[in-house]
Amino acid sequence: MIDVIIAGGGPTGMMLGAELRLHGIRVVVLEKDLEQSKVVRSMGLHARSIEVMDQRGLLERFLEHGKKYPVGGSFAGIIKPPPSLDSAHAYILGIPQTVTDRLLIEHAIEVGVEIRRGSEVVGLSQDDDGVDVELADGTTLRSRYLVGCDGGRSTVRKLLGIDFPGEPATAETLLGEMELTEDWETVLAVMTEVRKTQLRFGLSPIGDGVYRVGVPAEGLAPDPRIPPTFEEIKRRLKAVAGSDFGVHSPRWLSRFGDATRLAERYRVGRAFLAGDAAHIHPPVGGQGLNLGVQDAFNLGWKLAAEVNGWAPGDLLDTYQAERHPVAAAVLDNTRAQMQLMSLDPGSQAVRRLLAELMEFEEVSLHLTEKITATGIRYDFGDGPELLGRRLRDLELEQGHLYGLMRRGRGLLLDQTGKLSPREWADRVDHVVGVSQELDAPAVLLRPDGHVAWAGDDEEELRGALRRWFGKGQVL
């Protein structure tokens, strides 16, 4: 039997598959499309996702294909000087989604994920022991667990009967990559003027003479799955900017709306949702792909622990308990940003006020932490400020902290030299070392880098080990 079937071969599905394979789980990814999409919806990774790649030894290959940009104090297009972000990777990594997809696919294959393209899920049923997944070609596969990573129109979510409440799209933006004949200086001048009143319009060079073009649609398309025509793009450019800039030779065309929805629950029995299957929102702030990758990073080690037989009884329940509020917060900040980008007088008044407030470092940092996901604190109960937060990369005598986390195991970072995970040594590494950057005698990190315990009390440590890593081995 397959351990885990993942429906959907995008970045969330590939990240999840690779995380499961770190723990020896047999994974099959089912992707209905025969080829990787050419559509570039995301253009970069935020600080927390960059940290995730570093924790799994993937960062160098991403840096090779991306470009670093200042993280900036940006909210709803309001640009302020960058605040002091508590991260060793306080930058945005500009990298097209097609490259991110390719790198994560390569990584998944390297660690042994089986990918089956042209495999569309059309039905499912489950019992106490597993899930039966029916494919469009009539075949049926059985697995212990199923995870739907199949996008905003998720078939898995619909088959599970999970409600997807929220707001439907009220506006659409046309998007594409193409070449121009107009010189860039003229384009910049026009764009600067138009963006004073239309923040959803923009062109940006992406290399090799190709430009990414975004322009508001005239209205809502009857079927948003159907891409716009090139003539429609040209027509809207002329209407919004007064020129089509001589666009030609389109690589791809797409449309996206501002619908905002959040799955009522992330789990039904042995089936889960992650990424856009669980939440959709406007792309302002570039958070969508990042949010999905971080869903996978949270779920992967927990699902692997369950399959491998050592998970505490409620470990899988913590996936929704932790990630559902994070998605709700992202939906709220994108709603707020869309409102601030509206041209009505009230929204513009609030925008001017927020621009003033963002001059304060604390305000700018707070908003930046929302966008970059570095301010997330999971609710692990009462404890020190570190508890529930992700730990930034630290310099240690043994190297940097994230370099010690690449096997996807827990880690006890011990500055006292007097503690030990002992019975949990098969799933928790023990590092004795001192860091001037760590203001705690010792910390226990989960495989996703969040602090599960901090202090120097051995009994408290053992309680945290039992809570997150189950029963220890009998020594």
Side-chain angles (χ1 to χ4, degrees):
M1 183 191 294
I2 300 166
D3 290 325
V4 179
I5 288 176
I6 298 171
T12 301
M14 292 303 171
M15 188 73 200
L16 178 60
E19 285 295 290
L20 291 165
R21 283 298 303 151
L22 283 179
H23 303 276
I25 307 303
R26 186 190 173 197
V27 182
V28 173
V29 173
L30 304 176
E31 170 53 55
K32 66 179 181 179
D33 293 333
L34 292 172
E35 297 181 354
Q36 180 187 334
S37 173
K38 297 179 181 179
V39 176
V40 182
R41 293 194 178 276
S42 168
M43 289 296 291
L45 298 180
H46 285 303
R48 181 54 189 148
S49 295
I50 297 169
E51 291 179 342
V52 165
M53 299 309 168
D54 196 6
Q55 286 175 244
R56 291 301 181 260
L58 300 174
L59 184 54
E60 289 304 317
R61 65 179 78 181
F62 276 83
L63 291 176
E64 182 181 347
H65 295 280
K67 182 178 180 180
K68 294 181 181 180
Y69 296 95
V71 70
S74 175
F75 194 80
I78 302 171
I79 308 298
K80 297 294 179 180
S84 299
L85 199 65
D86 183 30
S87 175
H89 302 292
Y91 54 87
I92 296 171
L93 184 64
I95 186 168
Q97 182 173 339
T98 48
V99 179
T100 295
D101 287 348
R102 176 173 60 80
L103 294 177
L104 289 176
I105 290 169
E106 290 173 356
H107 173 56
I109 293 172
E110 287 169 7
V111 297
V113 174
E114 182 181 348
I115 302 170
R116 301 184 185 179
R117 289 196 171 273
S119 299
E120 181 180 2
V121 175
V122 296
L124 66 86
S125 61
Q126 57 178 312
D127 53 39
D128 291 341
D129 300 315
V131 184
D132 292 307
V133 178
E134 181 184 348
L135 305 183
D137 64 4
T139 61
T140 299
L141 301 175
R142 184 166 174 81
S143 63
R144 289 182 169 87
Y145 293 94
L146 167 69
V147 185
C149 301
D150 49 343
R153 300 181 181 89
S154 171
T155 298
V156 171
R157 185 187 65 241
K158 294 171 184 175
L159 291 171
L160 291 173
I162 297 176
D163 287 340
F164 203 37
E167 304 90 52
T170 59
E172 282 184 352
T173 301
L174 310 182
L175 191 66
E177 289 183 1
M178 57 203 73
E179 298 178 32
L180 315 178
T181 56
E182 187 66 85
D183 66 273
W184 181 236
E185 288 74 17
T186 300
V187 174
L188 271 178
V190 173
M191 188 164 60
T192 300
E193 190 63 29
V194 173
R195 284 183 61 82
K196 291 178 181 179
T197 57
Q198 182 49 265
L199 292 171
R200 288 164 49 218
F201 165 75
L203 294 86
S204 57
I206 58 175
D208 298 325
V210 178
Y211 293 77
R212 181 180 174 92
V213 176
V215 63
E218 186 173 7
L220 296 176
D223 187 347
R225 293 171 296 181
I226 300 175
T229 65
F230 187 48
E231 287 303 315
E232 185 180 356
I233 294 266
K234 293 173 68 175
R235 190 167 60 249
R236 289 304 298 158
L237 284 171
K238 289 179 180 178
V240 172
S243 171
D244 66 10
F245 307 107
V247 292
H248 63 94
S249 306
R251 289 186 173 183
W252 57 263
L253 303 172
S254 183
R255 69 174 80 239
F256 64 84
D258 61 348
T260 304
R261 297 186 182 277
L262 177 60
E264 185 178 49
R265 47 183 171 158
Y266 282 15
R267 178 186 183 186
V268 175
R270 290 176 168 268
F272 298 81
L273 301 178
D276 288 352
H279 39 71
I280 58 171
H281 55 84
V284 289
Q287 300 167 86
L289 182 150
N290 292 268
L291 183 60
V293 165
Q294 292 159 33
D295 284 347
F297 204 55
N298 184 283
L299 177 60
W301 70 275
K302 297 173 180 178
L303 194 51
E306 185 69 28
V307 173
N308 284 330
W310 59 259
D314 65 345
L315 185 63
L316 285 180
D317 293 333
T318 68
Y319 169 59
Q320 173 166 326
E322 292 171 6
R323 295 305 297 173
H324 195 275
V326 169
V330 170
L331 265 61
D332 275 351
N333 88 54
T334 56
R335 286 185 179 108
Q337 291 186 76
M338 291 299 290
Q339 191 65 42
L340 289 166
M341 295 168 74
S342 173
L343 299 179
D344 69 85
S347 296
Q348 287 299 298
V350 177
R351 182 182 180 87
R352 289 191 293 272
L353 176 60
L354 182 63
E356 291 180 19
L357 293 174
M358 286 177 65
E359 294 290 344
F360 294 96
E361 171 85 5
E362 295 86 351
V363 175
S364 183
L365 177 61
H366 179 72
L367 295 176
T368 300
E369 287 182 338
K370 283 183 175 294
I371 299 295
T372 61
T374 53
I376 291 171
R377 186 185 188 191
Y378 297 139
D379 184 6
F380 293 173
D382 295 334
E385 176 62 22
L386 278 175
L387 189 66
R389 297 188 182 279
R390 105 281 183 244
L391 193 62
R392 62 165 289 154
D393 198 13
L394 304 175
E395 289 297 328
L396 305 171
E397 298 165 2
Q398 298 88 342
H400 69 109
L401 175 64
Y402 288 178
L404 303 175
M405 302 185 69
R406 293 178 176 173
R407 293 195 294 168
R409 293 159 53 90
L411 187 146
L412 174 62
L413 178 54
D414 179 12
Q415 297 197 106
T416 73
K418 299 177 181 178
L419 301 169
S420 172
R422 286 191 294 273
E423 300 100 308
W424 294 268
D426 63 323
R427 62 204 82 150
V428 178
D429 293 326
H430 185 202
V431 176
V432 177
V434 176
S435 172
Q436 300 300 317
E437 303 172 81
L438 180 61
D439 188 22
V443 292
L444 175 66
L445 299 180
R446 306 191 314 183
D448 61 358
H450 282 260
V451 177
W453 169 85
D456 58 8
D457 185 283
E458 189 166 1
E459 283 305 309
E460 290 182 0
L461 169 61
R462 292 174 65 81
L465 286 163
R466 283 191 293 270
R467 178 181 180 185
W468 295 110
F469 297 97
K471 295 180 180 179
Q473 292 181 319
V474 178
L475 302 179

